Amino acid sequence: MADTPLIRLGTRQSPLAMAQAHETRARLCAAHGWDEAAVELVPVIASGDRIQDRPLAEIGGKALWTRELDIWLAEGRIDAAVHSMKDVETLRPETLTIAAILPRADKADVLLGAASLDAIPESARVGTSAPRRAAQLLHRRPDLRVVGIRGNVATRMAKLEGGEVDVTFLAAAGLQRLGKEQVGNRLEPEDWLPAPAQAAIGIECRTDNAQARDYLAAIDHGPSHAEILAERRLLEGLGGGCSSPIAALTTTEGDTLVLRAAIFSADGRELIEYSASFARGDADAPRELAARLLGRASPTVRALFEGGA
């Protein structure tokens, strides 16, 4: 074994991000027959973790999750960065490449504080900062009150337990990666659409780093990568950002992807939804689906999709 690590993985310092980095290291070691010391984990406190009192859209969007890691990649302080793909901007620098997507976990959301959406008490306070969750909920339950909360899994669970909100949502995949599988009540993705790229861990490296790309290729999961690329192409076509209520669910059927997507008005009153089936790797079909959605949307909804991602 070399005296220095073979690859340095940058990661946010939150508990969930660290769990994702540990999973990535374990998969790299298993794929290459390495000892754990061959993969160094390099944590950073991201801007998005430091600033939690305002919505992301007000303070810089999804770039707050990637900014520090991008800088470290450019400076050569790390060889690759581990991301929750749901939190990665749609348009990335050409100097960076998403070299691997790990096998996608459970795409579902979990509801905490009530047994089901219908069981939430009338006029209850629902804690979420996600436009997709807020709009989808208000479409189903316009009587409920949305309260903006941000923070990691523990923070949001504490706000619920402290009575700041009556119910809240978390991603099933995140809870599973933290060993909290029994928390809350799972919402079927077919009934409650998840966020684009939800439950996917992606590893990004510099495009010109051939060795890192070679290492990471060994842990790339082709079907999951194809789903994430399709959903990110949908986002690109929509031009959505952190304030855009977008939901998407992709299922894989052999070499065919079925992408179901919905966009909402912020108050949930307007919903536009379509599905499309296309061959894996078809880059045009998701953008065509985006055009259909926007073509049916009112000017009010289209205005939510003009800021880019």
Side-chain angles (χ1 to χ4, degrees):
M1 179 61 62
D3 293 332
T4 57
L6 296 175
I7 187 169
R8 298 161 298 166
L9 297 179
T11 174
R12 288 167 49 204
Q13 207 169 28
S14 72
L16 178 55
M18 291 301 298
Q20 294 177 161
H22 280 285
E23 179 180 342
T24 303
R25 176 165 66 181
R27 290 183 179 276
L28 277 168
C29 291
H32 295 288
W34 293 341
D35 184 86
E36 190 175 273
V39 183
E40 180 183 0
L41 302 186
V42 185
V44 62
I45 300 177
S47 299
D49 291 315
R50 286 198 300 267
I51 309 170
Q52 297 189 359
D53 59 344
R54 284 164 285 168
L56 283 179
E58 293 181 6
I59 54 175
K62 290 183 178 181
L64 292 179
W65 302 124
T66 58
R67 178 183 298 158
E68 286 80 6
L69 293 171
D70 287 356
I71 293 171
W72 285 11
L73 279 170
E75 293 176 348
R77 296 170 64 181
I78 56 175
D79 303 303
V82 182
H83 297 299
S84 291
M85 289 307 301
K86 178 175 64 69
D87 297 330
V88 176
E89 314 99 286
T90 307
L91 301 177
R92 298 291 284 147
E94 292 185 1
T95 54
L96 299 178
T97 296
I98 299 170
I101 299 289
L102 302 189
R104 201 170 186 181
D106 189 349
K107 303 167 188 173
D109 272 345
V110 169
L111 177 66
L112 283 70
S116 68
L117 295 172
D118 292 335
I120 300 174
E122 187 174 353
S123 300
R125 298 163 300 164
V126 182
T128 181
S129 62
R132 185 259 317 177
R133 285 171 173 156
Q136 192 166 199
L137 179 70
L138 292 172
H139 181 76
R140 296 272 291 267
R141 292 287 307 273
D143 61 292
L144 299 177
R145 293 179 291 155
V146 174
V147 178
I149 61 171
R150 285 191 52 227
N152 60 28
V153 170
T155 299
R156 283 182 276 171
M157 290 178 67
K159 289 180 182 292
L160 176 64
E161 293 168 4
E164 293 185 36
V165 296
D166 301 307
V167 295
T168 191
F169 298 95
L170 290 169
L175 289 170
Q176 291 164 5
R177 287 166 180 149
L178 291 171
K180 300 180 182 294
E181 295 92 340
Q182 304 307 314
V183 171
N185 296 284
R186 183 178 182 274
L187 303 175
E188 289 294 336
E190 292 78 11
D191 182 57
W192 176 265
L193 293 175
Q198 184 155 310
I201 299 172
I203 305 93
E204 193 172 45
C205 67
R206 284 171 48 167
T207 304
D208 62 4
N209 190 337
Q211 185 174 63
R213 294 179 67 171
D214 185 56
Y215 287 155
L216 295 170
I219 60 171
D220 184 46
H221 186 249
S224 296
H225 204 144
E227 288 189 3
I228 298 308
L229 288 180
E231 291 174 19
R232 287 175 64 80
R233 288 288 283 183
L234 171 77
L235 289 173
E236 185 180 337
L238 288 170
C242 287
S243 61
S244 309
I246 308 168
L249 176 65
T250 306
T251 54
T252 300
E253 301 175 0
D255 291 328
T256 299
L257 299 183
V258 180
L259 173 55
R260 179 181 165 199
I263 59 176
F264 301 81
S265 59
D267 61 8
R269 293 182 181 180
E270 187 173 350
L271 162 65
I272 306 96
E273 180 178 336
Y274 283 113
S275 296
S277 299
F278 48 91
R280 185 192 300 184
D282 185 338
D284 294 327
R287 291 182 62 87
E288 292 168 359
L289 178 59
R292 291 180 66 196
L293 290 164
L294 292 175
R296 285 289 304 276
S298 69
T300 300
V301 172
R302 286 200 300 272
L304 297 172
F305 296 85
E306 294 176 349

